[in-house]
Amino acid sequence: MSVAHRASACRTSFCSRDESSFVTPQQTIKHPPPNRWENLIFARIHVLRGWLARETAVPHFGEPMSLAINIRADNDPAGEIERLWDQVGAFEAKPSMRALGYRPHFTFAIYDGPAVDQQVAWNAMLAAVAGETQLRIEFRRIRWFEGSPLVLWAEPVVDRALARIHSAVSAAIDPAHCRPHYRPGAWIPHCTLGTAVAGERCGDAIAYARGFDRSFEVTFDTVDCVSFPPVRILAERRLPS
C-alpha cells in the first residue's frame, strides 16, 4: 500500500452447536413443512452466517501477515490524488493503486512480525494523534523511488503534523519491529501514486514526474490500522475538523 503499505490482524471465530440436535440412524424426527416466512428467515440466517464467517475468520497459521497504521483521505478532494493514480497507471502493466480498493494515504509504520499486534499498533496510532485535527496537505511535486519496479509518489510540502505523528508512533513502539524504510531517519512522507511502473516505461514515468507543474491540497481526515494483503480496515477514527 502505498509505497505498498501492508497490514494484518487477528479475530476470534466462534461457532456453536447443540448436541441434542444430533440423531442416530434409528431415530426419526418429523417436522411440519416450513411456511414461506420460515423459509425467508432461514435464508437470512444463512446469509448472516456467511457474513460472520468472513468477518471473524482467523488466518491460517503461517500466513504472512502485516499491519500498517495510516492517515487517509476519505473525502471528495482526495479525487485529486486518485486522478494522478489513473495517469500513473498508464505506465503500469496493471494500475496498482485502484486495485487496492483503498483511499489516498500516508503510512507511518508497517509491522510484519508477531511482536506487534493489532491492538498495540492501534493504541500507538490513537496516542500519536491525540489532540490532532484533520491535516490539510499541499502537494507540488511528483517524485519516484528508484528500483524495480519504479514507484511514483506525490511529495507533500513540509508538514510538521506528519513528522510529529510519525515521531510519536516511533516512540511508542520500538522501531526495530518496523520495516526499515519507516524507521526514524529513513522515513520519507509520501503519498503513493503507483507501485508497479513497467521497466520499459520508467523513462516516460520519470519524464511525467519531472513535468508536473501544479499544486493542490487534500485533507487527510481519518486514521486507521489495516491488514494486508488484501487491504482490510481493522480500526479507524475520523479526526476532528
Side-chain angles (χ1 to χ4, degrees):
M1 176 175 344
S2 270
V3 148
H5 302 329
R6 284 141 198 206
S8 107
C10 185
R11 292 197 178 185
T12 353
S13 69
F14 39 92
C15 116
S16 63
R17 57 185 181 182
D18 179 1
E19 295 295 337
S20 66
S21 67
F22 292 101
V23 297
T24 65
Q26 292 75 27
Q27 291 177 296
T28 302
I29 297 178
K30 293 183 179 180
H31 298 285
N35 60 35
R36 183 168 63 90
W37 295 110
E38 286 176 331
N39 285 334
L40 181 60
I41 291 170
F42 291 149
R44 292 191 174 182
I45 289 174
H46 179 75
V47 170
L48 179 60
R49 283 177 173 169
W51 178 83
L52 284 172
R54 291 191 300 272
E55 291 300 303
T56 61
V58 177
H60 295 296
F61 181 77
E63 244 180 43
M65 299 195 308
S66 301
L67 288 171
I69 46 180
N70 319 285
I71 186 167
R72 72 177 194 265
D74 251 356
N75 49 65
D76 291 340
E80 291 278 359
I81 291 289
E82 290 168 342
R83 282 187 284 275
L84 294 178
W85 286 357
D86 295 334
Q87 293 173 23
V88 172
F91 303 116
E92 301 177 296
K94 180 180 179 181
S96 58
M97 298 308 293
R98 291 285 185 188
L100 291 179
Y102 184 67
R103 301 306 300 274
H105 58 282
F106 290 97
T107 294
F108 297 108
I110 296 178
Y111 305 102
D112 294 309
V116 179
D117 64 20
Q118 173 187 338
Q119 196 58 57
V120 170
W122 182 232
N123 287 345
M125 183 77 262
L126 291 180
V129 297
E132 298 285 357
T133 58
Q134 298 175 12
L135 307 187
R136 186 76 176 168
I137 304 294
E138 182 183 2
F139 298 92
R140 295 179 186 169
R141 292 203 301 173
I142 293 177
R143 302 193 66 186
W144 59 92
F145 291 127
E146 296 283 358
S148 181
L150 189 77
V151 174
L152 261 63
W153 47 281
E155 180 183 52
V157 172
V158 175
D159 187 274
R160 292 180 180 178
L162 284 173
R164 185 166 58 243
I165 293 169
H166 180 261
S167 294
V169 168
S170 299
I173 300 176
D174 186 348
H177 299 307
C178 180
R179 286 190 184 178
H181 290 312
Y182 293 88
R183 295 174 185 172
W187 180 68
I188 298 174
H190 60 276
C191 188
T192 306
L193 303 177
T195 62
V197 175
E200 67 276 9
R201 301 301 308 277
C202 285
D204 294 334
I206 290 173
Y208 163 81
R210 285 177 171 156
F212 186 80
D213 62 353
R214 66 184 181 87
S215 66
F216 62 93
E217 293 184 341
V218 174
T219 298
F220 290 79
D221 52 12
T222 302
V223 293
D224 64 26
C225 178
V226 307
S227 67
F228 76 97
V231 177
R232 182 182 180 193
I233 297 172
L234 306 172
E236 61 183 352
R237 177 174 295 181
R238 187 176 177 83
L239 297 177
S241 56

